[in-house]
Amino acid sequence: MIFADIYMDLAKRNVRLHFLRSLLAVIGIVIGVFAITSMGIMGSALQVAVTSDLAEKGGQLSIYPSSSGMGVFGVSSEKRLITEQQFSKIKKASGKNPVVPFRSSYVRYSTKGKESFASIYSLAPDDLPQVVELEDGVMIRGGSRALVSASIAKEYDLRVGSRVKVGDEGHEKSLLVAGILKDSGFGSGISTYNSIIVADRLYDELEGKANGYDQVLVMVRDIDEIDGVKDAIEKSLNGRKKTVEIMDLRGLIESINSIIGTVSLVVTGIAGISLVVAAVSIFNVMMMSVNERIREIGILKSIGVKRGEISRMFLYEAAILGFIGSVIGGILSLLGGGVLIMLVLQDISFLFAPQSLLNVVWGMLVGTGVCVLSGVYPAWKASKLSPIVALAAE
């Protein structure tokens, strides 16, 4: 233990004696660790941000008409809907879980002299609290009232009580904004981005009546029962012929995690090039250190110091440089990752998610490990020097 401390002291001494050279090597490690860790933090934060909303909706099933049976090139001459009979079967198969049917389309709207297009949804008033939340205002109960997305409200400076005209020219309806929708994130059956929600009767006036629904959401209260509910619906509606598609958000979560993980890995790999450059710098520093200390190595060997102990002394030096650079790079990556998260996600809380912080630990370990590996050959070369040759060196 005493000798181990001596070799560590010798390593520290050499770092101090060649401070500028050591500093430049440390800076390389700092840059490398900062690059890979910042990219890792951003990737993990993005993964958490995209999938957190989906995880909350993990018990939601989205059911829509099957694409099978379409015409040439997958185009049907008539829009396919979930019929009332199919909807009744879905309700029965879903048990006591809430079932929310809706219709949707794309509509032209105008307000304050400007025109644009948005998604429009038709829901029964009693079903609205099941799928949407409000930032401001009240839910609609019918009449010429609407809920508008926060994105539309922000773009056109709309407030509760504002007016929006919806529909084609000559067939427009003037709607009173009753509420501003809270952004529900990605993955919900009802998109609350660039959308307008109206009651059933008003939708029928705008888009025409139809005997069915574009989509049905099943809000499974207990996520452990989701497979059973899904199987029951499949058995009830897709027995002899596939009539509906059932999307389970858990599969979507896995797909998104895989895609983001792959992209993050590629970006981190590109950033890792800087760490490779830093490793070459450490290797060069350690080779210079060996060449400068040949006589010292000869003296140590002549007094009985073993080869393994000589190697350890140089590995300690590489580890010191790597540890210092990795710690500084890890701390700076928290700042860099935080800036990236604020620019992209605009929510610093994602920085403190366990997945994000774990990147700092891994980055520091990788940075230190790379430095130690870079010092293996120089340490081995130092341990192989002959004491006689080393002592005779100038």
Side-chain angles (χ1 to χ4, degrees):
M1 189 68 183
I2 294 175
F3 284 110
D5 291 339
I6 291 174
Y7 302 135
M8 177 62 78
D9 290 338
L10 289 173
K12 292 178 181 177
R13 183 209 63 177
N14 197 55
V15 170
R16 289 194 300 268
L17 287 175
H18 302 91
F19 179 76
L20 182 58
R21 187 174 70 192
S22 300
L23 178 62
L24 293 175
V26 166
I27 289 174
I29 294 297
V30 169
I31 294 172
V33 172
F34 172 80
I36 64 168
T37 307
S38 296
M39 292 300 102
I41 288 174
M42 185 62 229
S44 296
L46 186 61
Q47 204 168 34
V48 172
V50 173
T51 59
S52 57
D53 283 337
L54 290 175
E56 292 177 4
K57 303 180 184 79
Q60 177 179 295
L61 294 174
S62 297
I63 305 168
Y64 49 94
S66 174
S67 57
S68 61
M70 289 291 186
V72 181
F73 304 116
V75 179
S76 175
S77 59
E78 184 179 351
K79 186 178 182 180
R80 297 173 66 86
L81 298 173
I82 294 177
T83 65
E84 290 288 350
Q85 183 181 11
Q86 290 173 327
F87 175 64
S88 297
K89 290 182 178 180
I90 292 171
K91 284 193 71 175
K92 185 177 180 181
S94 301
K96 296 181 179 180
N97 296 296
V99 179
V100 179
F102 64 88
R103 293 179 63 196
S104 62
S105 185
Y106 210 55
V107 70
R108 170 186 166 275
Y109 72 93
S110 60
T111 182
K112 298 185 177 182
K114 298 179 180 179
E115 293 185 2
S116 189
F117 291 86
S119 300
I120 185 169
Y121 294 92
S122 159
L123 284 93
D126 291 339
D127 289 335
L128 282 170
Q130 303 272 13
V131 290
V132 298
E133 297 180 55
L134 297 180
E135 281 188 1
D136 192 18
V138 295
M139 294 291 184
I140 54 177
R141 301 300 303 176
S144 298
R145 294 171 174 265
L147 305 177
V148 300
S149 65
S151 57
I152 293 177
K154 183 178 180 180
E155 184 175 356
Y156 297 103
D157 193 27
L158 299 179
R159 295 177 174 80
V160 174
S162 298
R163 285 279 175 177
V164 177
K165 288 184 178 180
V166 176
D168 296 328
E169 191 173 351
H171 188 60
E172 294 175 320
K173 293 286 183 180
S174 179
L175 308 183
L176 178 72
V177 177
I180 308 296
L181 293 166
K182 184 179 180 180
D183 186 7
S184 64
F186 177 76
S188 174
I190 303 288
S191 172
T192 54
Y193 177 77
N194 194 39
S195 59
I196 299 171
I197 298 178
V198 297
D200 295 334
R201 289 185 181 180
L202 183 57
Y203 185 92
D204 289 342
E205 292 179 21
L206 290 167
E207 299 293 322
K209 292 185 178 181
N211 184 28
Y213 308 99
D214 291 292
Q215 195 169 333
V216 174
L217 301 179
V218 179
M219 325 299 288
V220 184
R221 292 192 178 100
D222 186 351
I223 197 170
D224 294 332
E225 297 178 359
I226 193 168
D227 289 324
V229 174
K230 185 177 180 181
D231 291 342
I233 297 173
E234 285 273 10
K235 185 177 180 181
S236 179
L237 278 82
N238 292 337
R240 296 181 179 179
K241 181 182 177 182
K242 191 168 187 176
T243 59
V244 297
E245 303 282 351
I246 305 173
M247 186 176 74
D248 180 353
L249 289 183
R250 295 175 303 174
L252 185 59
I253 292 173
E254 292 176 1
S255 298
I256 290 175
N257 275 332
S258 176
I259 292 170
I260 295 177
T262 301
V263 173
S264 178
L265 186 62
V266 171
V267 174
T268 302
I270 295 172
I273 294 173
S274 59
L275 192 59
V276 174
V277 174
V280 173
S281 174
I282 292 293
F283 178 83
N284 185 51
V285 167
M286 295 308 302
M287 288 300 294
M288 291 173 64
S289 180
V290 170
N291 291 333
E292 291 171 352
R293 298 165 67 186
I294 290 178
R295 285 183 61 83
E296 179 182 325
I297 294 169
I299 293 171
L300 290 172
K301 283 198 166 188
S302 67
I303 61 174
V305 175
K306 298 179 180 178
R307 289 173 53 187
E309 293 167 335
I310 297 292
S311 296
R312 199 180 311 151
M313 179 175 62
F314 287 94
L315 289 176
Y316 283 159
E317 185 176 336
I320 290 170
L321 295 174
F323 179 75
I324 294 173
S326 297
V327 170
I328 296 173
I331 294 172
L332 291 178
S333 69
L334 285 172
L335 300 176
V339 171
L340 287 174
I341 289 171
M342 284 301 297
L343 290 174
V344 177
L345 302 175
Q346 299 181 345
D347 187 350
I348 196 63
S349 64
F350 291 115
L351 175 64
F352 303 104
Q355 297 97 313
S356 300
L357 295 177
L358 191 59
N359 284 280
V360 179
V361 177
W362 280 114
M364 292 168 61
L365 290 175
V366 169
T368 305
V370 165
C371 289
V372 172
L373 287 175
S374 298
V376 168
Y377 176 75
W380 175 82
K381 182 179 179 181
S383 68
K384 293 288 288 181
L385 286 173
S386 166
I388 297 174
V389 174
L391 286 170
E394 292 295 332

